[in-house]
Amino acid sequence: MIKLHDKYFKPFVSAKEIDAALQRMANEIAADVGDEIPVFVGVLNGSFMVVSDFVKKYPKPCEVTFIKLASYEGVKSSDDIQRLIGLTQDLTGRTVIILEDIIDTGKTLAEIHRIFKNENVKALKIATLFYKPEAYKKDFKLHYIGIEIPNKFIVGYGLDYDGLGRDLPEVYQIKQTQHMTNLVLFGPPGAGKGTQAEFLKEKYNLVHISTGDVFRYNMKNDTALGMLAKSFIEKGQLVPDQVTIDMLNAEVEKNADANGFIFDGFPRTNAQAEALDKLMDSKDSQINAMIALEVDDEVLVKRLLERGKTSGRKDDADETVIRNRIKVYYDETAILKDYYAAQDKYFGVDGIGGIEEITERLSTVINKL
Ligand code: IMP
Ligand code: MG
């Protein structure tokens, strides 16, 4: 991560990826222009690195020149673009290829088109290393595109944030720092995760996502996801990763403004933990802690059979199913302790005692995060 002025940026496109994109563009353009000698026109300031590296890769003779026109400050595309400086050469009858670092709204590009209208060029083609399709508001054709990127501010490789960052050999993306507290509540079935999550979400203003509850809701309403999940859950098995991850992604996106999340019943495998890290990372956030409720097996079985009498949950009614669920937990998911412990994010909490007492123990851990 790097800091420029007041903002943080994270690595986004490596020098190697930039190199490959430019190579591909150079080959494509060379093939298209045939025997002609094109004039490459870089748009300053941002494109100086693109042009320099591009023409070194261009396999045939070419001419290179620069123009300058954009006035661009801060992180938003400016409305008033200034006039052009630097077009001194006669371009009549020439194939001109504009080399841009980035095309955002397309305002700069509109200005370029307006200016070249009177130049009597044979062809005007547009090549850009970066392109933000979600931001682009014009209809001008973009003939060569290096890398399509989401509509987020980037720096490096010629691109700046208020003057800084142009010198970086790779590209960084702005980090929208979110101060979320995200917890994974962990523990065998019957450990009291659901009960405790209810208290914690109130206390810390978090959104509780219980994968089990979301699945049960879907099953009760016979959705496609519900029917799929049903076949696994009733046998005491885990629902396949991709189904769970897709659902979770949707739940997190539904609550994008949350103070944070309590994940309950997820992740259950290393693959899911990695997927969750990726998901959090894509939201510029992270898992802060895994908190595990520790409860003895026999206490669990007793608690679940008791709950089965009133909850109506089929998987709570049968002792064999219950024991299998506990076994699955220890076989496949206790591994995750190592995953989070390796990041110093694992906290074990004694799950036997009064509800309030346990909430108190959990709070002690959370307050220290
Ligand atoms: P457009 O006129 O909106 O297409 O924006 C083009 C110009 O805006 C570029 O030449 C850059 O100077 C600037 N720009 C747009 N997006 C970014 C970005 O993500 N980082 C840095 N500069 C940008
Ligand atoms: Mg530019």
Side-chain angles (χ1 to χ4, degrees):
M1 203 167 66
I2 56 164
K3 190 180 182 200
L4 301 176
H5 298 296
D6 57 328
K7 301 227 182 301
Y8 291 91
F9 297 84
K10 58 185 175 184
F12 181 52
V13 183
S14 68
K16 216 172 141 194
E17 289 169 289
I18 293 170
D19 203 68
L22 290 178
Q23 186 65 62
R24 188 169 43 71
M25 291 167 78
N27 294 345
E28 244 179 273
I29 294 173
D32 285 355
V33 298
D35 295 332
E36 247 179 281
I37 295 181
V39 184
F40 289 113
V41 178
V43 185
L44 291 173
N45 293 327
S47 73
F48 74 98
M49 283 220 193
V50 170
V51 174
S52 169
D53 286 343
F54 175 90
V55 295
K56 282 179 267 179
K57 296 184 189 314
Y58 192 73
K60 295 192 242 179
C62 64
E63 291 179 30
V64 191
T65 188
F66 286 93
I67 56 173
K68 176 161 179 149
L69 44 66
S71 75
Y72 188 92
E73 271 154 28
V75 293
K76 281 211 184 102
S77 200
S78 67
D79 282 334
D80 57 325
I81 281 160
Q82 284 148 25
R83 289 306 311 272
L84 166 116
I85 314 162
L87 193 57
T88 49
Q89 196 178 342
D90 181 15
L91 294 172
T92 306
R94 303 295 303 273
T95 291
V96 172
I97 299 171
I98 304 292
L99 287 181
E100 270 284 29
D101 46 346
I102 188 163
I103 292 179
D104 186 59
T105 63
K107 270 188 202 123
T108 312
L109 187 57
E111 202 72 359
I112 288 168
H113 272 277
R114 193 179 62 73
I115 287 158
F116 276 85
K117 226 183 221 157
N118 307 317
E119 294 295 321
N120 301 314
V121 299
K122 181 180 167 197
L124 180 68
K125 300 237 168 119
I126 312 299
T128 184
L129 176 58
F130 292 108
Y131 170 50
K132 296 178 181 170
E134 296 154 22
Y136 191 57
K137 292 196 187 75
K138 308 284 180 190
D139 295 322
F140 303 109
K141 184 173 164 64
L142 308 181
H143 301 82
Y144 306 99
I145 295 170
I147 302 170
E148 289 195 6
I149 59 168
N151 191 10
K152 283 193 183 167
F153 196 76
I154 59 172
V155 291
Y157 201 72
L159 293 157
D160 71 309
Y161 168 49
D162 276 350
L164 293 181
R166 292 196 199 278
D167 53 321
L168 301 166
E170 61 284 291
V171 166
Y172 293 75
Q173 187 183 58
I174 197 158
K175 205 168 149 74
Q176 273 123 7
T177 328
Q178 295 207 23
H179 302 285
M180 289 205 269
T181 303
N182 300 305
L183 308 174
V184 172
L185 202 51
F186 204 52
K193 294 192 301 283
T195 309
Q196 291 302 327
E198 281 306 305
F199 288 104
L200 296 179
K201 84 174 188 195
E202 286 302 319
K203 189 161 177 183
Y204 296 97
N205 201 11
L206 305 172
V207 174
H208 175 210
I209 301 182
S210 156
T211 36
D213 284 349
V214 179
F215 279 126
R216 278 186 289 277
Y217 173 85
N218 279 280
M219 291 191 297
K220 202 170 147 205
N221 292 287
D222 281 330
T223 65
L225 181 67
M227 311 238 263
L228 185 60
K230 197 178 235 163
S231 57
F232 296 96
I233 291 179
E234 281 188 348
K235 282 179 269 173
Q237 291 176 357
L238 297 180
V239 173
D241 277 4
Q242 200 52 51
V243 179
T244 314
I245 287 162
D246 289 349
M247 186 209 68
L248 193 79
N249 195 13
E251 289 296 308
V252 170
E253 270 170 18
K254 249 195 256 168
N255 297 288
D257 300 328
N259 270 353
F261 296 92
I262 301 171
F263 297 102
D264 165 5
F266 188 97
R268 287 185 152 164
T269 62
N270 265 325
Q272 288 181 349
E274 281 164 16
L276 185 59
D277 278 347
K278 247 194 226 152
L279 180 65
M280 289 293 110
D281 192 53
S282 76
K283 310 281 182 260
D284 285 339
S285 193
Q286 70 289 310
I287 295 296
N288 301 80
M290 165 189 260
I291 305 180
L293 288 169
E294 292 161 348
V295 183
D296 182 77
D297 280 14
E298 296 313 312
V299 178
L300 294 174
V301 173
K302 233 166 76 191
R303 276 191 196 173
L304 285 172
L305 284 173
E306 202 54 42
R307 182 169 85 182
K309 286 179 191 163
T310 53
S311 73
R313 280 178 55 169
K314 268 214 180 94
D315 59 341
D316 281 349
D318 181 328
E319 186 169 334
T320 317
V321 172
I322 289 172
R323 289 200 184 271
N324 187 44
R325 282 162 67 201
I326 297 172
K327 186 177 177 303
V328 165
Y329 170 83
Y330 284 112
D331 283 355
E332 294 183 19
T333 67
I335 275 178
L336 285 175
K337 186 174 169 172
D338 299 337
Y339 182 91
Y340 288 100
Q343 305 175 43
D344 282 328
K345 289 179 179 174
Y346 179 85
F347 302 89
V349 169
D350 180 4
I352 296 179
I355 290 176
E356 274 170 45
E357 205 182 339
I358 297 167
T359 309
E360 220 23 69
R361 287 177 202 147
L362 292 168
S363 301
T364 308
V365 171
I366 297 168
N367 293 340
K368 277 194 215 140
L369 292 175

